[in-house]
Amino acid sequence: MEEIRNAILAGASGEELGALPLPESYRAAFVLREEATMFEGQASEEKDPRKSLHVGEVALPELAPDEAYVAVMAGAINFNTVWTSIFEPLPTFGFLDRLGKESRWGARHALPYHVVGSDASGVVLRVGSAVRNWKPGDRVVIHCNYVDDQDPTAHDDSMLAANQKIWGFETNFGGLADLTLVKANQLMPKPAHLTWEEAAINALCNSTAYRMLVSPNGARMTQGDRVLVWGATGGLGSYAVQHVLNGGGIPIGVVSSPEKAELLRDLGVEAVIDRRAKGYRFWKDEHTQDESEWRRLGKDIRALVGEDPDIVFEHPGRQTMGASVFVCKRGGTVVTCAATSGYMIEYDNRHLWMRLKTIKGSHFANYREAWDANRLICEGKVLPPLSAVYPLEQVGEAAYQVHHNLHEGKIGVLCLAPEEGLGVEDPELRAKVGEDRITLFRR
Ligand code: NDP
């Protein structure tokens, strides 16, 4: 990989890169099948990604006709890598084994190790014989929707495809590595004004937030909408509030510290709630919720923006869902894509039906949505919330930070990029967007 890295850094042409020999193995971050029970009996918080995530050499898989090899310059930590590394709610080897039964190409994925990572920026090295739109040398970012385009169920909205998967979570050969194997329809242009690490962090969370709020498949946010965003400086939330602001809506951002509240204000969010300072206790005990606490949150929202939220952007799950359904406006939508604090949800159904609210499930994004969300990054209209960068060797520590909510925005991981700050091709656009805006989360 060293030769490939040096060629990329020296600005080699696509032809030159395409002619370089590929390595038989490459450096990657992975969990091991034989360790899938290592945390049995421990509480979630005690399960430590630093123990389960390994960095070492793995064999280069064969390239299918519709795929590309990408030299990964940088990757990112997503919460799904945390789930994989603590083997919750299930070890991801089950996903790989299921994919392994699908076809000869699927069989490549069922291995004793799982290379993780569902975001990356890099350079295309080779494409399969059926790939038309990409070639060696193209600078790309990768979205994680892994779709079988020969399946008819994938041809309305590909997120409805019967065997839709998330690359690097439900497939092998993910982006926390020096090289990755992806379908060509996961590739998108790299934002030219961003560094490798700034470009690497966006596709997963930005596309998810875009579908949840902006796409016709989501909550169809429109001008003037009040949108309650949980975890508003986190991975999803930091994109969600930007989409709300761009679309003429009014975000109410919930965070858990004065520092995060200040960051949110710098991002342009005026209505901010520090949930820790407010001390909400939506659950009296493990089994009983407290409606008076939901009501207190509702009052706080009205005091800030005058009305109940048209949309609630949900992902904490069990801890907040009862409150989210309660505070949502009559006729409004709670759009949810996750359940970090527990997936067995309880809410008072009377508040849902009597006030004609909708709960809408959402999951990642189809290629069109991911592409449109990436276009906003490319044009500088959505900023990359990069707060910290780790080398690949410290991927376990990076995942630990996200697992314990010690981070803001997104954490980037350097793979082939030898240092931060490389990869900017359009300094004029960078200057126009503003260095201080692009690096807002790095203070
Ligand atoms: P992050 O950890 O980056 O951010 C989540 C934020 O939520 C935290 O920073 C925290 O903010 C807030 N939060 C956490 N727990 C609670 C709680 N109990 N009550 C209120 N707020 C809470 O994670 P992501 O935003 O990247 O992901 C969030 C979830 O969404 C994960 O479970 C992830 O797996 C899932 N996800 C699902 C996707 C899909 O396509 N279905 C795509 C992307 C993510 P603060 O402490 O400041 O309030």
Side-chain angles (χ1 to χ4, degrees):
M1 288 306 301
E2 202 51 35
E3 201 182 349
I4 291 172
R5 181 214 308 260
N6 291 337
I8 292 170
L9 294 174
S13 69
E15 264 178 27
E16 287 165 336
L17 280 174
L20 286 178
L22 292 168
E24 283 177 11
S25 69
Y26 61 99
R27 194 176 58 131
F30 53 82
V31 292
L32 290 170
R33 191 185 285 264
E34 66 191 24
E35 292 183 351
T37 54
M38 69 191 287
F39 298 133
E40 249 174 31
Q42 294 183 18
S44 274
E45 312 80 71
E46 287 164 20
K47 298 178 182 175
D48 190 339
R50 294 171 298 192
K51 293 188 178 142
S52 55
L53 277 173
H54 305 279
V55 177
E57 290 288 308
V58 297
L60 183 74
E62 193 185 346
L63 184 72
D66 61 345
E67 292 178 341
Y69 289 130
V70 178
V72 179
M73 300 305 283
I77 303 296
N78 281 292
F79 218 95
N80 66 3
T81 291
V82 175
W83 295 126
T84 301
S85 67
I86 62 174
F87 307 103
E88 280 194 20
L90 294 166
T92 42
F93 290 99
F95 301 136
L96 304 185
D97 292 343
R98 211 166 306 144
L99 175 55
K101 290 190 186 114
E102 277 182 15
S103 66
R104 153 167 126 70
W105 295 112
R108 293 169 301 168
H109 294 257
L111 292 168
Y113 55 83
H114 184 182
V115 178
V116 293
S118 302
D119 261 323
S121 65
V123 182
V124 175
L125 290 178
R126 292 277 199 289
V127 295
S129 57
V131 175
R132 291 175 292 112
N133 297 336
W134 304 94
K135 57 182 185 326
D138 287 344
R139 293 170 159 232
V140 294
V141 291
I142 300 169
H143 77 75
C144 61
N145 186 14
Y146 184 93
V147 176
D148 174 0
D149 64 8
Q150 292 175 33
D151 180 343
T153 61
H155 285 270
D156 181 4
D157 166 8
S158 61
M159 287 308 298
L160 297 180
N163 57 0
Q164 184 278 332
K165 294 181 171 54
I166 298 293
W167 159 69
F169 179 62
E170 293 163 295
T171 79
N172 217 322
F173 319 122
L176 286 165
D178 287 343
L179 190 147
T180 186
L181 178 77
V182 298
K183 286 190 184 267
N185 62 17
Q186 290 176 252
L187 300 174
M188 306 192 292
K190 173 190 167 287
H193 64 300
L194 299 183
T195 64
W196 293 115
E197 60 279 8
E198 289 162 354
I201 59 168
N202 305 299
L204 192 148
C205 281
N206 183 40
S207 311
T208 305
Y210 181 91
R211 179 178 172 113
M212 288 172 77
L213 291 172
V214 183
S215 153
N217 289 317
R220 293 171 172 266
M221 191 208 80
T222 190
Q223 296 177 47
D225 275 357
R226 274 75 171 152
V227 183
L228 180 72
V229 178
W230 291 104
T233 58
L236 289 170
S238 54
Y239 296 100
V241 294
Q242 295 190 69
H243 289 305
V244 177
L245 289 169
N246 287 353
I250 301 169
I252 305 108
V254 185
V255 289
S256 63
S257 73
E259 295 76 28
K260 288 182 177 181
E262 194 189 329
L263 181 57
L264 210 45
R265 290 197 184 92
D266 290 347
L267 202 53
V269 179
E270 290 172 15
V272 179
I273 294 177
D274 180 341
R275 66 181 170 100
R276 191 164 295 160
K278 291 282 182 185
Y280 301 119
R281 284 180 56 100
F282 300 135
W283 289 82
K284 283 184 204 164
D285 58 50
E286 216 181 306
H287 308 288
T288 326
Q289 298 203 58
D290 184 347
E291 183 171 323
S292 69
E293 286 293 275
W294 300 345
R295 204 172 290 283
R296 188 155 73 88
L297 171 67
K299 266 191 190 163
D300 289 340
I301 295 168
R302 283 187 189 180
L304 285 168
V305 297
E307 295 174 22
D308 295 332
D310 301 87
I311 299 169
V312 180
F313 185 89
E314 234 310 318
H315 51 88
R318 184 168 173 82
Q319 285 298 324
T320 54
M321 192 66 167
S324 293
V325 170
F326 180 82
V327 301
C328 185
K329 189 181 194 167
R330 194 181 185 96
T333 302
V334 177
V335 60
T336 176
C337 72
T340 314
S341 65
Y343 49 82
M344 294 307 281
I345 299 296
E346 273 180 43
Y347 63 87
D348 185 334
N349 203 29
R350 293 169 298 179
H351 295 301
L352 188 86
W353 95 72
M354 292 299 288
R355 297 200 168 86
L356 303 105
K357 305 178 190 186
T358 302
I359 297 175
K360 185 153 187 79
S362 191
H363 186 40
F364 187 59
N366 62 38
Y367 197 8
R368 181 57 196 256
E369 289 159 343
W371 190 278
D372 289 349
N374 186 54
R375 190 174 57 173
L376 296 171
I377 303 273
C378 289
E379 291 172 353
K381 291 180 179 145
V382 170
L383 303 168
L386 178 72
S387 63
V389 180
Y390 287 79
L392 185 60
E393 282 73 21
Q394 288 175 29
V395 67
E397 176 61 35
Y400 177 89
Q401 295 284 318
V402 174
H403 183 24
H404 289 273
N405 196 17
L406 301 171
H407 68 302
E408 287 161 355
K410 300 288 308 176
I411 293 184
V413 176
L414 294 183
C415 298
L416 284 178
E419 60 192 13
E420 295 178 40
L422 304 175
V424 175
E425 295 156 275
D426 188 346
E428 288 80 25
L429 178 57
R430 191 172 179 90
K432 195 171 155 204
V433 176
E435 186 71 27
D436 52 339
R437 305 271 308 146
I438 293 171
T439 57
L440 192 65
F441 278 65
R442 302 244 31 205
R443 47 194 199 170

